[in-house]
Amino acid sequence: MIHDPVHQQLVLDTLCTNLQDPIPAIRAKAAQALGQIGSEQAIPALLQLLEDPDTSVRWRVAEALGRISSEQSIPALLHLVEDANSNVRSSAAEALGKISGEQTIPALLKLLEDADSDVRSSAAEALGNIGNEQAMTALLRLLTDSDATVRQTTAIALGNIPASTVLPPLLETLQQTNPILRQTAAIALGQLNQESAIPALVQLLKDPETQVRESAIEALGKMGSVIDRSVA
C-alpha cells in the first residue's frame, strides 16, 4: 500500500496517462490497474475509453468501473451493456451489480434475454446483488435456462431476494414436472435459509431424479444454521 499522497497521485496520473497509449494491451492494463486501486479520481479518464476500438480495453474499463463502484459510473455502464461484444456486456452487468443502483434494473432485466449465456449469468448475479423484488418474475423464468451455470447463478440470485416475496413461488416450483425447475428451486431455497422450507425439501428427498435429491440434501445442509443445536 502506498502511504505517501504524492506517490499515490503520481501512480494515478501515470496510469491515467497510459490509458491513452497507442498499444491496446497497455491501455487495458492501465484500466485494470486503476480498477484495482479503486480511486474515483480515475473515472473521468476511464470514461474516455467507452468507445475504444479494442474489445479488451472496453472490457477492462467496465471491470474497473465496477471495482470503483461509484454511482457516477452508472450511465457509462448502461451504455456498455449495449456493446456488440458479449464480454463487455457481461463485465458491465457485473459492474452494475456491484454498484447496486435500482435504476439499473431495467437494463439488467433485458440482459437476462441475451443470446450469450455468460451475459445472462452476469445479469442474474447482478440482480441478485441488488436484491430487488422487481427481478423475481424474470429470474424465476430463467430457472429453466439451457445453460447450467445460468440456472445455478439464477437460483443463488433468487436467494438474495426478500424471503417473504420469493419463498411461495419457489415452494410451488418444487411441484413442477420439469426436474430442472425442481433442482434449481431447491438450490434457491438453500440460499434463502428459511426454516419454513425444510418440510418441502425433506419431501423432495423422495424425488425420482438423483440430481434433484442431491440439491435438496445440499440445501438442507446449508440450513444447519437455522436448526436448534440442542437437537444434536
Side-chain angles (χ1 to χ4, degrees):
M1 180 179 291
I2 303 172
H3 298 287
D4 188 333
V6 174
H7 289 163
Q8 290 175 354
Q9 194 62 50
L10 176 62
V11 170
L12 284 171
D13 292 344
T14 301
L15 292 174
C16 286
T17 298
N18 276 272
L19 290 176
Q20 302 303 320
D21 194 277
I23 300 175
I26 296 297
R27 299 197 299 276
K29 277 293 183 183
Q32 182 182 19
L34 286 167
Q36 290 171 336
I37 292 172
S39 172
E40 292 189 8
Q41 290 185 50
I43 292 177
L46 289 167
L47 295 183
Q48 293 179 27
L49 299 182
L50 293 181
E51 304 293 342
D52 194 281
D54 189 87
T55 297
S56 64
V57 174
R58 300 196 305 278
W59 167 42
R60 289 301 187 185
V61 166
E63 179 186 62
L65 292 174
R67 287 189 170 188
I68 296 170
S69 297
S70 170
E71 289 192 358
Q72 63 180 294
S73 299
I74 289 178
L77 290 167
L78 290 175
H79 173 76
L80 288 176
V81 297
E82 302 284 347
D83 197 276
N85 183 271
S86 60
N87 288 331
V88 177
R89 296 197 302 277
S90 180
S91 184
E94 290 178 14
L96 288 172
K98 292 175 181 176
I99 297 173
S100 297
E102 292 191 4
Q103 66 267 46
T104 69
I105 292 176
L108 290 170
L109 288 173
K110 182 179 178 181
L111 288 182
L112 293 180
E113 301 175 0
D114 197 278
D116 187 271
S117 60
D118 287 340
V119 176
R120 298 196 301 276
S121 184
S122 294
E125 182 178 5
L127 288 165
N129 290 338
I130 295 171
N132 192 285
E133 297 175 6
Q134 296 178 48
M136 183 184 71
T137 301
L139 288 171
L140 286 170
R141 286 197 299 267
L142 212 61
L143 288 177
T144 54
D145 193 273
S146 59
D147 184 87
T149 300
V150 174
R151 297 196 300 270
Q152 178 91 8
T153 305
T154 301
I156 294 172
L158 283 166
N160 292 328
I161 293 175
S164 60
T165 300
V166 75
L167 184 59
L170 283 177
L171 291 174
E172 290 178 10
T173 302
L174 294 180
Q175 307 303 317
Q176 296 292 323
T177 57
N178 187 332
I180 292 176
L181 269 174
R182 299 197 301 276
Q183 180 186 14
T184 49
I187 294 170
L189 288 169
Q191 187 73 14
L192 276 178
N193 206 20
Q194 291 292 305
E195 187 173 354
S196 57
I198 289 176
L201 287 169
V202 170
Q203 184 66 27
L204 207 62
L205 296 181
K206 300 177 183 179
D207 196 278
E209 297 292 333
T210 300
Q211 290 183 329
V212 176
R213 297 198 301 274
E214 288 177 344
S215 295
I217 290 171
E218 290 177 5
L220 289 168
K222 289 182 179 179
M223 290 187 174
S225 61
V226 300
I227 299 175
D228 188 344
R229 296 188 181 277
S230 64
V231 303

